Amino acid sequence: MSDLTRREAIAGSGAALTLAMLGAGTAQAARSDENEPRVVVLPVTPDRVAVVARMHSGEVLTASQGSERRSRTAEKNVAVLGLAVAKSARSRVVVEVAGASRTLDVDTRVEALRASELRVVNKRVALTNKDKPKKLATAGAVVVDARLQHPIKRMIKAAKKDKVDLEAVSGYRSFEYQESLYARYERRDGRKAADTYSARAGHSEHQLGLTIDVRGADAVHELEESFKDTPTGKWVAAHAHEFGFVVRYQDGQEKTTGYRAEPWHLRYVGDDVARFLHQRRDIKTLEQLFDLPAAPGY
């Protein structure tokens, strides 16, 4: 979650989720040639995976593991769904797309989760104090998972071309840092209030290194819900998905995410997933996208 007193920020950068370029060990991509559908399965939690497929819009992606079976229609040539699998283990997922069926291996054990760009953390799903990005890098004034370096720089450059001065002000936060930050808010506002805008240690997306908080260079409405009505906020809402980011905590989703709206809080999920979510305006959270339980409280 964002730092509402703010400015203790650190963040960084990395690479977009392009299915053909995913690193080995986090998932298995199925591809025979450039004209055929491409599918990847990535761990989301210790007992759930995300199936992401590039295919023709309107085609249906179906995935199954054991008795679990899910389907979703492709939008903008991408389909994304969540699927339950064996907890913290290696599993085989059967994927059906474009009339073809194939079996893919997936690993939801600790190291695979730590490498996944689609890992979810919320009030129900926690990280440990040992969880941190494998490699950190800087992008502007912040430190993040190294895979975000280029997407952040590209996004800031594109915004500037549209005469929007976009800045990243917070990125990676360690377990210990989040612990002290939350404690400060709890002392100031009480636990009930703090829980609406700050994550307890182990439950912050910033610990993944895959999240940034942004603002305009003029700092107008910085870390305020009214940021969405500024030129910078409007640009972010319209274009962040082009660089692999989504606005993670949207207005009206508190009963699912557990947090009030944060139009400045961007979560990196890669180009394909971000594009799919931008097109599917009816799916507003990662919990909905991956068929995870709502997480309104701890």
Side-chain angles (χ1 to χ4, degrees), residues 1 20 22 36 101 159 239 252 281:
M1 291 295 293
L22 281 169
E36 290 190 3
S101 176
H239 297 285
R281 298 303 178 92

Side-chain angles (χ1 to χ4, degrees), residues 143-221:
V143 174
V144 289
D145 185 298
R147 292 171 290 187
L148 272 63
Q149 191 169 37
H150 297 302
I152 291 172
K153 290 180 178 178
R154 285 174 45 238
M155 182 167 62
I156 291 173
K157 183 177 180 180
K160 190 174 292 292
K161 189 174 180 179
D162 289 339
K163 303 188 184 310
V164 172
D165 289 325
L166 180 67
E167 296 181 346
V169 295
S170 185
Y172 168 70
R173 298 181 195 152
S174 68
F175 182 99
E176 292 75 18
Y177 179 83
Q178 189 67 31
E179 189 171 42
S180 64
L181 183 63
Y182 177 85
R184 186 194 319 165
Y185 294 147
E186 185 181 19
R187 287 193 299 271
R188 188 186 70 187
D189 299 326
R191 171 163 288 201
K192 185 176 180 180
D195 280 341
T196 66
Y197 64 79
S198 183
R200 298 180 192 177
H203 296 271
S204 173
E205 285 199 325
H206 284 279
Q207 190 180 336
L208 294 172
L210 299 173
T211 295
I212 57 172
D213 293 335
V214 296
R215 70 173 185 183
D218 56 10
V220 172
H221 298 290

Side-chain angles (χ1 to χ4, degrees), residues 54-71:
R54 284 189 181 178
M55 51 200 293
H56 295 298
S57 296
E59 290 183 333
V60 177
L61 167 69
T62 300
S64 59
Q65 203 281 324
S67 61
E68 178 86 352
R69 184 179 177 88
R70 299 279 179 171
S71 297

Side-chain angles (χ1 to χ4, degrees), residues 213-235:
D213 293 335
V214 296
R215 70 173 185 183
D218 56 10
V220 172
H221 298 290
E222 179 182 2
L223 303 179
E224 297 175 357
E225 191 172 345
S226 52
F227 171 74
K228 70 179 186 300
D229 299 317
T230 67
T232 305
K234 291 178 180 178
W235 190 94

Side-chain angles (χ1 to χ4, degrees), residues 275-296:
R275 186 168 72 250
F276 181 81
L277 273 175
H278 187 75
Q279 184 70 16
R280 285 291 301 266
R281 298 303 178 92
D282 59 316
I283 303 176
K284 298 182 180 299
T285 68
L286 297 186
E287 286 78 11
Q288 290 173 288
L289 179 64
F290 300 135
D291 297 302
L292 290 165

